[in-house]
Amino acid sequence: MKQAVEQLKEQFLNDLQDVYSSDGLQQVRDTYFSRKSGRITLLMRQLGKLSPEERKEAGRLVNELRDFAESLFAERQQALRLQDEARRAESERLDVTLPGRRIKPGSEHPIVRVKQRIEDIFVSMGYSVEDGPEIDTTFYNFDALNIPVGHPARESQDTFYIDSELALRSQTSNIQIHAMQKRRPPIRIIAPGKVFRRDNPDPTHNPMFFQVEGLNVAEGIHMGHLKGTLQIFLEKLFSQSVRLRFRPSYFPFVEPGAETDFSCIFCKAESDCRVCKGVGWIELGGSGMVHPNVLSACGIDPKKYSGFAFGFGIDRMTAMLYGVDDIRNFFSGDLRFLEQF
Ligand code: DAH
């Protein structure tokens, strides 16, 4: 028996020495201490088979072995636990003195902000906001807008063509046509969106830019409505009174057509005004009374209904509002520029 105890003790010590994880510990526990088949347990069970004299001595030896093994086991368990904790503490170590990483909140792009402002004002006047395709057929881009074959706007020097039928729209006016085909008068919409032209980029041009188109078709609409609408819009946008003037102009889809100017909101016609250059007027965009051909192309009777339309650039408006002198900045994606807004 003594020999068996010694042997077992040695094996136990060997096994315990090789344990580096809680899994290993569990294995040692099963091997030596499990109630059913633990090797120390089995040894204790054998004591019953011995004679009373033998049992006394052997019992002492086995009990000693068990106590010894249990306390060593507990020690190893504790050591491993401490080791684990130390390892975890090291890997999860936080240096609370490190400066924090600043999360930069994004902000709305200035063009988006002005576009929303424009939408809000027109919505408050009873208009709805309409969307339309950026790639459209020649019917919507030109034919229905009374832009005849041979008109410079149709030329490939001005327009990006996908093929002979499809082109990137060069103005948001195509949305007028979609809206008039879908709805019956009274129609009151604005349509902001991207437009594309084969322009070389410079401080006031970019091959992609933003326009907003307006359309109001009902019975009895006239130029006075157009003037009043644009004036109220501008006064709301700039929070000050403005005057409006029309200069006769030609756009195929309106008759009469006009360039629309408003009185400079930055100066009183001073010669060094950076926006109006001392002229006292700022150009808004084109406008006019919807051409009867355009109404007819959309199945609206031009004898019964009339309408006004206008279109202007959102980028230029934004540049003016924020004092930006190169619109290419808006599209550069340069955070140093965008962070200012
Ligand atoms: N689409 C024209 C342009 O890009 C602007 C314009 C002029 C829109 C007259 C209109 C209009 O609706 O009636 O220059």
Side-chain angles (χ1 to χ4, degrees):
M1 188 51 123
K2 190 168 179 191
Q3 214 184 341
V5 168
E6 282 302 317
Q7 241 175 31
L8 200 53
K9 186 173 171 182
E10 207 168 304
Q11 276 171 2
F12 173 77
L13 285 171
N14 272 341
D15 283 355
L16 196 63
Q17 221 172 23
D18 291 342
V19 166
Y20 296 104
S21 67
S22 54
D23 277 356
L25 267 180
Q26 185 60 40
Q27 220 173 327
V28 169
R29 179 187 277 135
D30 291 345
T31 313
Y32 292 92
F33 304 117
S34 105
R35 275 166 177 270
K36 262 199 193 151
S37 56
R39 295 174 72 177
I40 297 180
T41 322
L42 291 179
L43 204 60
M44 297 190 85
R45 229 170 262 162
Q46 280 177 25
L47 291 173
K49 291 183 197 141
L50 299 176
S51 66
E53 302 87 66
E54 280 175 325
R55 195 188 302 152
K56 200 172 167 204
E57 174 59 8
R60 193 180 58 77
L61 283 173
V62 176
N63 276 335
E64 260 176 28
L65 171 66
R66 190 199 53 201
D67 292 349
F68 172 78
E70 276 179 358
S71 77
L72 226 60
F73 183 86
E75 255 174 47
R76 187 88 188 134
Q77 196 172 30
Q78 175 69 359
L80 278 177
R81 193 176 299 142
L82 290 176
Q83 221 175 60
D84 269 3
E85 271 169 23
R87 207 173 294 140
R88 189 156 357 109
E90 179 59 29
S91 70
E92 292 174 3
R93 194 159 62 104
L94 286 181
D95 183 351
V96 292
T97 65
L98 279 177
R101 238 173 265 148
R102 204 154 63 93
I103 298 172
K104 286 189 190 158
S107 59
E108 271 167 347
H109 192 282
I111 290 180
V112 171
R113 200 173 299 159
V114 172
K115 172 176 146 285
Q116 270 164 6
R117 193 84 186 88
I118 294 170
E119 288 175 6
D120 287 349
I121 295 172
F122 278 104
V123 166
S124 78
M125 294 199 277
Y127 284 70
S128 54
V129 179
E130 192 85 10
D131 201 6
E134 287 170 10
I135 298 174
D136 218 344
T137 62
T138 41
F139 174 78
Y140 290 98
N141 278 330
F142 305 121
D143 298 330
L145 284 166
N146 201 32
I147 301 173
V149 176
H151 188 281
R154 284 180 96 120
E155 300 307 314
S156 56
Q157 293 98 301
D158 292 312
T159 304
F160 289 108
Y161 280 89
I162 308 279
D163 56 33
S164 60
E165 243 317 274
L166 286 174
L168 298 183
R169 68 180 178 206
S170 58
Q171 50 183 4
T172 41
S173 305
N174 66 330
I175 307 176
Q176 282 187 27
I177 308 301
H178 289 283
M180 284 192 279
Q181 282 183 336
K182 268 189 292 192
R183 303 168 188 224
R184 294 296 90 187
I187 301 167
R188 248 178 248 117
I189 58 136
I190 57 156
K194 284 180 195 149
V195 298
F196 308 85
R197 284 184 198 173
R198 298 185 61 154
D199 281 336
N200 285 327
D202 69 27
T204 53
H205 294 88
N206 197 64
M208 186 281 295
F209 58 102
F210 287 80
Q211 269 192 346
V212 59
E213 186 80 11
L215 176 74
N216 186 335
V217 180
E219 280 181 61
I221 294 288
H222 54 71
M223 287 289 276
H225 294 124
L226 170 62
K227 193 172 183 195
T229 302
L230 289 178
Q231 181 159 355
I232 290 173
F233 159 68
L234 290 166
E235 292 187 343
K236 287 194 179 199
L237 185 68
F238 300 128
S239 307
Q240 59 177 278
S241 58
V242 295
R243 279 173 302 127
L244 212 73
R245 77 173 184 188
F246 289 131
R247 282 179 288 122
S249 186
Y250 173 70
F251 300 97
F253 33 93
V254 281
E255 182 58 41
E259 289 286 358
T260 318
D261 301 334
F262 59 97
S263 51
C264 182
I265 49 163
F266 298 100
C267 76
K268 297 275 168 286
E270 291 147 15
S271 60
D272 57 352
C273 174
R274 70 169 174 81
V275 180
C276 77
K277 312 277 183 270
V279 178
W281 294 97
I282 298 172
E283 193 179 304
L284 175 67
S287 65
M289 298 304 294
V290 181
H291 197 290
N293 289 353
V294 175
L295 294 173
S296 300
C298 301
I300 292 174
D301 181 0
K303 292 207 177 73
K304 186 165 181 212
Y305 298 104
S306 56
F308 67 69
F310 58 84
F312 60 86
I314 304 178
D315 330 60
R316 289 202 184 158
M317 182 75 82
T318 309
M320 188 175 68
L321 282 168
Y322 290 109
V324 172
D325 49 20
D326 189 336
I327 65 161
R328 289 173 297 184
N329 282 320
F330 289 132
F331 313 112
S332 66
D334 188 336
L335 287 180
R336 289 167 308 176
F337 171 76
L338 292 171
E339 269 167 3
Q340 302 175 84
F341 299 93

